[in-house]
Amino acid sequence: MTKVDVPGMIKKNRMNSCTGFVVAASIVFILIGIAVAIFFMTWVKLVINHEIVLRDGSQAFGWWAKPPVIPMISVYVYNVTNADEFLNNGSKPVVEELGPYVYMETWERKNIVFNENGTVTFNMQKIYKFNETLSSGLEDDVVVVPNIPMLSATSQSKHAARFLRLAMASIMDILKIKPFVEVSVGQLLWGYEDPLLKLAKDVVPKEQKLPYEEFGLMYNKNGTSKDNVTVFTGGSDITKYGLIDTFNGMSHLTHWLSDECNSLLASDGSIFPPHITKNSTLRIYDKDLCRTLPLKFEKEVQRKDGVPSYRFTPPLDVFGSVTENPDNLCFCPHGPPCSPSGLFNVSLCQFDSPVMLSFPHFYLSNDSYRTAFDGISPPDPEKHKLYLDVQPMMGTAMSARARVQINLAVSQVVDIKQVATFPDIIFPIIWFEEAVDDLPEEVTNLMRLANDVPPIAHASLSGILFVIGIILLLIAVWRIVRGANRLSSLHLATGHVSQPPKSKDVPMSNVNRY
Ligand SMILES: *[C@@H]1O[C@H](CO)[C@@H](O)[C@H](O)[C@H]1NC(C)=O
Ligand SMILES: *[C@@H]1O[C@H](CO)[C@@H](O)[C@H](O)[C@H]1NC(C)=O
Ligand SMILES: *[C@@H]1O[C@H](CO)[C@@H](O)[C@H](O)[C@H]1NC(C)=O
Ligand SMILES: *[C@@H]1O[C@H](CO)[C@@H](O)[C@H](O)[C@H]1NC(C)=O
Ligand SMILES: *[C@@H]1O[C@H](CO)[C@@H](O)[C@H](O)[C@H]1NC(C)=O
Ligand SMILES: *[C@@H]1O[C@H](CO)[C@@H](O)[C@H](O)[C@H]1NC(C)=O
Ligand SMILES: *[C@@H]1O[C@H](CO)[C@@H](O)[C@H](O)[C@H]1NC(C)=O
Ligand SMILES: *[C@@H]1O[C@H](CO)[C@@H](O)[C@H](O)[C@H]1NC(C)=O
Ligand SMILES: *[C@@H]1O[C@H](CO)[C@@H](O)[C@H](O)[C@H]1NC(C)=O
């Protein structure tokens, strides 16, 4: 090499500036390639974070405000077929599962107001329409179910003064209130006039008054909710995207014993903070659930529409008793005793009615609750598990099955003759499945694009940059080598005889090296 530097000054200068440029260009390309390899996904993340923020007029906002999906709720009713024998002869209760009764829903967020601190406030509107074709029964089907207002009142009176219970018994006698009611499915869900509630409304002091005269498990749910929900738009902090800031002005619940259990920092189930990993815990809040429900990664699912997503489901001990899951102690403000295994006591959110939630068919509960009845088949995770599939990169819910069973924890009260023979029992009333599926193609196409394109673009862009850089480098090397050869032939031609043997030495020493 030393030899190359000495002669042929004129040619060398021209060639070196050109080669130097090629070398510089190749290094630039390789550096950009490295930068792309390292930073491209970060950049994609930033673009996604920017695109999903709820901003007036954006596409994400439009889909959020008026979800382009048709959620469906399927209701199954446990019709009691031996009410009289159960009460009079102490027979095992027999129930028949009726349904599904299917309602198609339309969701829309109403009264949307953007706040200055990166949050948006709205009222959720849900309209339910009965779909006869999908249902296996009519809304007019008459069913026999426990009289929830009555049994709530009697169960609550268990620790009251005896004369109060006797008074209650005579009032119920006069009003001809029975422990089981015969109502239509439509009435059970959307409301029927209940004599006890009507009475309570008239006589009970104003502070303790129940807000309604009618009783129905979904009473007042058809329409726009009065609850003011404020969620983070993601504009100021993407890690809180879609999470609840306040619910009716409250930033946390007040029923439970710890800040963690009272926390409302959860999604309403539609959108989640993006970039979900298999380690993430998703939290959803529903007013009727009375708490946030944690969801953990279960598996990856390949959907029909080609959008890969993660399935999240509650941990198996989510409703575990305090011995199974000590974290649940905070949900037991007036215990012990606390909720039994697999049941969640929501009485504080249900006007002190002894309502217990579980999964359908007592999935994940002690089997003894299910076998206390005839007619409830063993739980099947496929049919009775609650789950949610999310697109992990954007945090959008792709499909969901919210499955919950409503039970009444009846306490035996011997002083009230109407219910004297009604034993302590967890009585299932209905279970329902709220299903969201089938996002429109417009949405799934975009998601597939967001999912598939960045990795390909990432690999090909950094690949192409590397290849160009390396080709340029090779060209530069080739030019240098060729230049060296040319120089040596130049020396030969000018007749410097002393040079050729030396120039031959170089390749030979190279050969020796191998
Ligand atoms: C529910 O059970 C009662 C008997 O307790 C029966 O008369 C009624 O027909 C049942 N309802 C349906 C829809 O099958
Ligand atoms: C209750 O049990 C008795 C004896 O076991 C029986 O004679 C009677 O028919 C039963 N009543 C009903 C309503 O099943
Ligand atoms: C944001 O503003 C809304 C409405 O003014 C308010 O309800 C909420 O508490 C505020 N949230 C934060 C985190 O400041
Ligand atoms: C819900 O309300 C809409 C009108 O707002 C009505 O058409 C529909 O029948 C109602 N659904 C039920 C189940 O009552
Ligand atoms: C009921 O559902 C079926 C199937 O999805 C649909 O074709 C039909 O239009 C729906 N009927 C009503 C009244 O919404
Ligand atoms: C919701 O907000 C409106 C207007 O800001 C207010 O009048 C109403 O009382 C609030 N509702 C609840 C349940 O807090
Ligand atoms: C998930 O958590 C496990 C254990 O806590 C840890 O070993 C693993 O690195 C985490 N993975 C990610 C992607 O954060
Ligand atoms: C449910 O919770 C309420 C309020 O904390 C409590 O009074 C009641 O005893 C609980 N019920 C059961 C069955 O644990
Ligand atoms: C279910 O409950 C019964 C009675 O309360 C109890 O004996 C049994 O050990 C429980 N089973 C499990 C698996 O917890």
Side-chain angles (χ1 to χ4, degrees):
M1 281 310 247
T2 43
K3 172 185 55 80
V4 178
D5 289 334
V6 190
M9 294 298 271
I10 315 144
K11 254 214 154 131
K12 197 192 89 184
N13 272 347
R14 220 186 76 204
M15 200 162 67
N16 265 10
S17 64
C18 188
T19 309
F21 174 75
V22 174
V23 170
S26 72
I27 289 171
V28 167
F29 272 102
I30 290 175
L31 286 181
I32 296 178
I34 291 172
V36 166
I38 297 172
F39 297 115
F40 186 79
M41 284 327 245
T42 314
W43 178 74
V44 167
K45 265 189 177 182
L46 289 178
V47 170
I48 288 181
N49 292 356
H50 182 259
E51 283 305 307
I52 59 176
V53 165
L54 300 174
R55 228 180 282 111
D56 206 356
S58 74
Q59 199 167 38
F61 172 75
W63 287 334
W64 172 80
K66 205 168 175 186
V69 291
I70 304 179
M72 276 197 282
I73 186 163
S74 305
V75 179
Y76 298 82
V77 182
Y78 291 110
N79 187 21
V80 182
T81 55
N82 69 338
D84 288 337
E85 288 107 285
F86 166 70
L87 285 177
N88 302 330
N89 269 15
S91 316
K92 191 173 175 180
V94 180
V95 294
E96 188 191 4
E97 185 184 284
L98 299 176
Y101 298 91
V102 181
Y103 293 85
M104 297 184 125
E105 300 175 41
T106 29
W107 291 356
E108 193 174 342
R109 290 179 169 88
K110 294 284 203 183
N111 310 325
I112 296 173
V113 179
F114 282 92
N115 307 312
E116 276 172 8
N117 53 15
T119 60
V120 56
T121 304
F122 62 92
N123 299 106
M124 191 74 192
Q125 183 191 64
K126 293 188 178 184
I127 305 284
Y128 297 83
K129 290 241 163 67
F130 187 67
N131 188 311
E132 212 177 302
T133 358
L134 297 175
S135 305
S136 67
L138 295 175
E139 271 190 308
D140 299 333
D141 286 356
V142 174
V143 292
V144 177
V145 290
N147 186 341
I148 297 173
M150 175 204 202
L151 293 167
S152 299
T154 60
S155 297
Q156 279 173 45
S157 74
K158 195 175 175 182
H159 302 291
R162 182 158 187 266
F163 80 88
L164 221 80
R165 289 198 290 275
L166 297 176
M168 204 182 246
S170 44
I171 291 172
M172 287 174 178
D173 222 11
I174 295 164
L175 293 174
K176 297 197 172 55
I177 298 173
K178 302 229 166 59
F180 286 93
V181 287
E182 250 186 74
V183 289
S184 75
V185 172
Q187 285 176 317
L188 177 64
L189 296 178
W190 306 108
Y192 58 92
E193 202 161 281
D194 182 81
L196 210 56
L197 292 187
K198 201 165 185 307
L199 182 77
K201 195 156 191 221
D202 295 338
V203 299
V204 168
K206 207 172 170 203
E207 314 78 70
Q208 295 171 23
K209 224 173 234 180
L210 294 169
Y212 322 113
E213 288 184 23
E214 286 192 61
F215 174 79
L217 294 168
M218 311 235 293
Y219 183 65
N220 254 349
K221 293 243 188 297
N222 185 27
T224 308
S225 161
K226 296 206 167 43
D227 296 321
N228 301 328
V229 188
T230 302
V231 302
F232 291 98
T233 61
S236 49
D237 182 358
I238 199 72
T239 62
K240 288 187 175 170
Y241 174 65
L243 302 185
I244 294 170
D245 174 24
T246 61
F247 192 90
N248 283 334
M250 310 269 278
S251 60
H252 54 81
L253 300 169
T254 53
H255 309 303
W256 312 121
L257 297 176
S258 75
D259 289 343
E260 206 188 328
C261 294
N262 275 327
S263 170
L264 274 175
L265 202 62
S267 161
D268 61 2
S270 54
I271 51 174
F272 294 87
H275 318 300
I276 294 166
T277 69
K278 294 177 182 175
N279 275 1
S280 307
T281 299
L282 305 184
R283 293 181 180 277
I284 49 177
Y285 174 71
D286 183 88
K287 189 188 178 191
D288 293 322
L289 202 57
C290 209
R291 59 173 282 184
T292 66
L293 193 69
L295 305 176
K296 297 271 193 196
F297 175 80
E298 185 199 349
K299 61 180 181 188
E300 289 178 36
V301 284
Q302 201 60 50
R303 296 163 47 80
K304 276 203 304 279
D305 55 28
V307 181
S309 46
Y310 286 178
R311 177 158 299 177
F312 278 74
T313 189
L316 298 182
D317 63 357
V318 64
F319 292 156
S321 61
V322 288
T323 42
E324 292 158 352
N325 183 356
D327 292 344
N328 279 348
L329 196 56
C330 67
F331 291 117
C332 185
H334 300 112
C338 301
S339 291
S341 174
L343 292 156
F344 187 72
N345 185 345
V346 290
S347 79
L348 291 175
C349 294
Q350 297 293 337
F351 311 104
D352 292 331
S353 303
V355 177
M356 300 277 229
L357 299 183
S358 70
F359 294 115
H361 288 218
F362 295 105
Y363 174 58
L364 299 183
S365 308
N366 188 324
D367 214 33
S368 58
Y369 300 119
R370 182 182 67 82
T371 51
F373 293 82
D374 273 339
I376 308 179
S377 63
D380 172 2
E382 284 301 307
K383 288 188 200 149
H384 302 134
K385 188 167 77 180
L386 181 153
Y387 69 81
L388 176 90
D389 293 347
V390 289
Q391 207 284 338
M393 217 187 317
M394 298 175 154
T396 312
M398 304 299 296
S399 43
R401 295 284 179 282
R403 292 160 168 163
V404 175
Q405 177 168 301
I406 299 172
N407 311 289
L408 194 69
V410 184
S411 303
Q412 187 161 24
V413 182
V414 285
D415 293 332
I416 301 177
K417 63 174 193 286
Q418 291 89 341
V419 296
T421 55
F422 210 120
D424 282 346
I425 196 167
I426 309 278
F427 217 111
I429 314 286
I430 65 165
W431 70 272
F432 64 84
E433 167 189 285
E434 195 163 37
V436 180
D437 261 324
D438 298 329
L439 271 78
E441 250 176 63
E442 187 193 359
V443 182
T444 55
N445 284 347
L446 196 77
M447 287 185 168
R448 258 203 321 275
L449 213 67
N451 193 72
D452 300 346
V453 172
I456 296 172
H458 182 206
S460 39
L461 198 58
S462 53
I464 287 170
L465 288 167
F466 272 126
V467 167
I468 293 177
I470 285 169
I471 289 176
L472 285 177
L473 202 61
L474 287 177
I475 290 174
V477 168
W478 176 73
R479 285 185 72 110
I480 291 168
V481 171
R482 203 183 54 163
N485 284 343
R486 240 196 234 148
L487 279 176
S488 6
S489 32
L490 213 72
H491 299 315
L492 270 177
T494 46
H496 288 269
V497 264
S498 58
Q499 299 289 357
K502 263 196 181 172
S503 77
K504 252 185 209 160
D505 280 354
V506 179
M508 273 178 68
S509 62
N510 274 345
V511 169
N512 289 342
R513 246 178 254 149
Y514 289 105

